Amino acid sequence: MGRQHWKKIWVGSAGNMVEWFDWFVYASFATYFAGAFFPSGDSTAQLMNTAGIFAVGFFMRPVGGWLLGRVGDRKGRKAALTLTVTLMSASAILIAVAPTYAVAGYGGAFVLLVARLLQGLSVGGEYAASATYLTEASDPGNRGFASSFQYVSMTAGQILGLGLQIVLQRTMSDSALHGYGWRIPFVVGALGAAVIFYLRRSMLETEVYEEDDSHAAERGTLRALWQHRREAFLVIALTMGGTVAYYTYTTYLTKYLSNSAGLSKQTATLVSFTALIVFAAVQPLAGRLSDRIGRRPLLITFAVGSTVLTVPVLTLLKHANGYWPALGLSLLALLVVTGYTSINACVKAELFPTGIRALGVALPYAVANALFGGTAEYVALWFKNAGIESGFFWYVAGCAAVSLVVYLAMRETKDLDLARVKAAQGSGESSLTTAS
C-alpha cells in the first residue's frame, strides 16, 4: 500500500481513537467527579446519578447514527467525519470546564448532561462515517485490511485512557484527583479532537461517493433505507453477537476480574491493558486474511468459537488465581472476537449502495449497539445480583449463536464492486443468499 492509502487509513480511523478515549475516561473517572456535581452525602447516589447521565449517551447513539448517517450520504463522508469530531471536542471541553455543585448547584450536572448528549451523537455517527470512508477509500483487495484499523483505533483510545488513568493515579494524590485531576483527561481529549479536526479538513472525498449518480433527494433518507430494510436488519443481527462479546471482554473485563474472580484492581487493570494491546495488534492481520479468504469464514469462526467457548472461558476466568491465567484466557476470548471486530465495518458497508451506505451502516448498528453492547455490563451485573452469574455466560453464547445463523445464511461480500451494489440488489439478489 502506498503512502496515500496509509494517510487515508490514519485520517479515517484516528477519530475513533479520540472518540473512544473520551467515551472511556468518562466511565473510568466517574468515581472521582461524581461528588463534584451532586450534593454531598450518599456516594452511591452520586455514582448512580453520574451513571444515569452516562446511559443517556447510549440512548443518543441511534439518533447520532440517523443524523450523521444522513449527513454522510447527502453531504459526503468528509463532512460527516468532520462534524463527529467537532461534536466530541465540544463535549470534552464542556466536561473539562463544567462548574461544580458548590459553584452552580445542579447547573454543573446540566452541563454534564449536555456534554453526554453530544458524545452520544458523535459516537453514534463516527463508527458509520469512518467505516464507510475506510471501505470506499481502499482498493477492493485491501478493504478488510483498511477497515480493521477502525477497531485498532477504538482499542487504542481505551488503552490511552487506561494508561492515563494509571499515570494520574500514581502521580497525584487521591484528594487532588477528586478536586481537579479528573478534568485533565477531558482537556487531553479536547486537544486530541482539535488535531483530528485539522487533519480531516484537508482529507479527500472518496471517489465512490463523488461518482455516485443516485437521486440526490433520496440520499440518506429513511425512505431509501426502508427499501434496503433486509440489509438493515442483517446489520442488527450480525452485530448482536459481536458487540455483546466485545463489550464483555473489553469494558466489563476489569470489573469481572476484580468483582467475580477476586483479583486485585491493579492486577485486573494490568490484564485488561495487556490483552487490549495484543488485541489491537492482531486486527490488521485478520483483516488482511479476510481479503484473501473472504469475510464469512472469519465471521463464522468467531460465532462458533463464542458459542462454544464463552461458558468455559468465563467460568475459568472466574477461578483465575493470578495475572498469567487471567491474561491467557482473556487473550483466547479476544482472539476469537477478532473474527468479528476486524472486518465488521467493511462487511456492513459492503451491503449497501453508495447513496444510503452511511445511514445503512449507522442507524442499524447504533440500534444493535444500544440494545446489546451498551447493556452487556448491566445484564452481567443483573445476573450476578440474582445469584446466577453463569446465566450471563449463556446469554453471551446465545447472542453469538443467533449471529452464527445469520453468518451461515448471508452471502460473501469480499469481491463486491461498491459502485455496483445497487444494481446487484436491484436484480433481486438477497444479502441473505449464501454465495456459491
Side-chain angles (χ1 to χ4, degrees):
M1 294 178 65
R3 181 179 178 182
Q4 192 65 27
H5 282 95
W6 281 110
K7 182 180 179 180
K8 290 179 179 178
I9 289 175
W10 162 246
V11 176
S13 62
N16 276 300
M17 181 172 63
V18 177
E19 299 266 1
W20 280 87
F21 173 87
D22 287 338
W23 189 267
F24 178 83
V25 295
Y26 181 99
S28 60
F29 281 87
T31 54
Y32 294 106
F33 66 72
F37 296 105
F38 300 98
S40 59
D42 189 348
S43 60
T44 300
Q46 292 173 342
L47 281 173
M48 287 181 66
N49 288 328
T50 309
I53 293 177
F54 176 76
V56 168
F58 276 101
F59 289 112
M60 289 303 295
R61 287 174 74 162
V63 179
W66 166 72
L67 178 64
L68 294 165
R70 180 180 173 86
V71 171
D73 285 326
R74 297 184 73 86
K75 303 296 183 181
R77 318 313 188 198
K78 175 182 175 180
L81 286 168
T82 304
L83 182 55
T84 60
V85 77
T86 302
L87 291 172
M88 185 57 78
S89 179
S91 69
I93 292 173
L94 283 175
I95 297 176
V97 302
T100 63
Y101 181 82
V103 173
Y106 283 107
F110 177 75
V111 173
L112 196 65
L113 176 62
V114 172
R116 282 299 293 175
L117 291 173
L118 293 177
Q119 275 193 343
L121 288 172
S122 178
V123 173
E126 172 67 28
Y127 172 88
S130 60
T132 302
Y133 183 84
L134 287 170
T135 303
E136 290 183 348
S138 306
D139 293 332
N142 289 315
R143 291 201 298 251
F145 176 75
S147 67
S148 70
F149 281 87
Q150 187 170 46
Y151 267 81
V152 173
S153 57
M154 287 170 62
T155 306
Q158 295 182 63
I159 292 172
L160 289 174
L162 197 60
L164 179 59
Q165 184 176 20
I166 292 172
V167 170
L168 292 178
Q169 286 174 337
R170 297 193 176 191
T171 58
M172 299 182 71
S173 66
D174 193 61
S175 61
L177 275 171
H178 280 85
Y180 67 90
W182 60 265
R183 298 183 187 270
I184 294 175
F186 298 103
V187 173
V188 173
L191 292 174
V195 172
I196 301 302
F197 175 81
Y198 173 78
L199 291 173
R200 286 184 169 178
R201 285 192 64 186
S202 60
M203 70 191 298
L204 299 175
E205 187 57 80
T206 66
E207 293 181 6
V208 173
Y209 179 81
E210 290 183 331
E211 295 173 358
D212 179 52
D213 59 356
S214 58
H215 196 273
E218 292 293 318
R219 281 186 173 185
T221 63
L222 292 175
R223 181 168 53 186
L225 180 59
W226 182 250
Q227 295 173 7
H228 300 276
R229 55 190 177 277
R230 180 171 292 183
E231 285 70 32
F233 285 115
L234 177 58
V235 169
I236 293 175
L238 67 85
T239 300
M240 179 181 177
T243 192
V244 169
Y246 176 75
Y247 273 90
T248 297
Y249 294 115
T250 55
T251 57
Y252 180 60
L253 180 65
T254 303
K255 297 182 181 69
Y256 180 69
L257 291 176
S258 176
N259 296 333
S260 296
L263 297 181
S264 67
K265 290 184 178 180
Q266 292 83 355
T267 301
T269 301
L270 186 59
V271 169
S272 294
F273 186 76
T274 309
L276 285 174
I277 291 176
V278 177
F279 176 69
V282 299
Q283 299 305 300
L285 300 178
R288 175 68 75 190
L289 180 62
S290 79
D291 287 327
R292 294 180 178 274
I293 67 173
R295 321 298 190 212
R296 291 179 67 249
L298 270 71
L299 290 171
I300 292 171
T301 299
F302 150 71
V304 171
S306 289
T307 301
V308 174
L309 295 177
T310 293
V311 174
V313 165
L314 288 175
T315 302
L316 290 171
L317 270 175
K318 188 175 182 178
H319 298 92
N321 57 6
Y323 170 79
W324 289 109
L327 178 61
L329 290 166
S330 300
L331 285 176
L332 173 61
L334 285 172
L335 287 175
V336 171
V337 175
T338 295
Y340 165 81
T341 56
S342 60
I343 58 171
N344 80 94
C346 67
V347 170
K348 294 164 189 172
E350 288 166 344
L351 293 173
F352 296 93
T354 304
I356 195 64
R357 184 167 291 130
L359 180 60
V361 175
L363 185 55
Y365 169 78
V367 169
N369 215 33
L371 290 175
F372 302 107
T375 59
E377 185 172 326
Y378 177 85
V379 173
L381 293 174
W382 183 89
F383 274 111
K384 182 176 177 62
N385 289 335
I388 47 172
E389 188 168 31
S390 61
F392 176 66
F393 309 166
W394 290 102
Y395 168 76
V396 177
C399 289
V402 172
S403 289
L404 174 59
V405 175
V406 177
Y407 302 152
L408 291 171
M410 69 182 288
R411 64 175 174 171
E412 179 58 62
T413 61
K414 176 178 75 76
D415 296 321
L416 288 177
D417 182 346
L418 295 182
R420 294 173 58 84
V421 173
K422 182 176 181 180
Q425 291 174 340
S427 66
E429 183 181 354
S430 169
S431 296
L432 289 170
T433 302
T434 304
S436 57

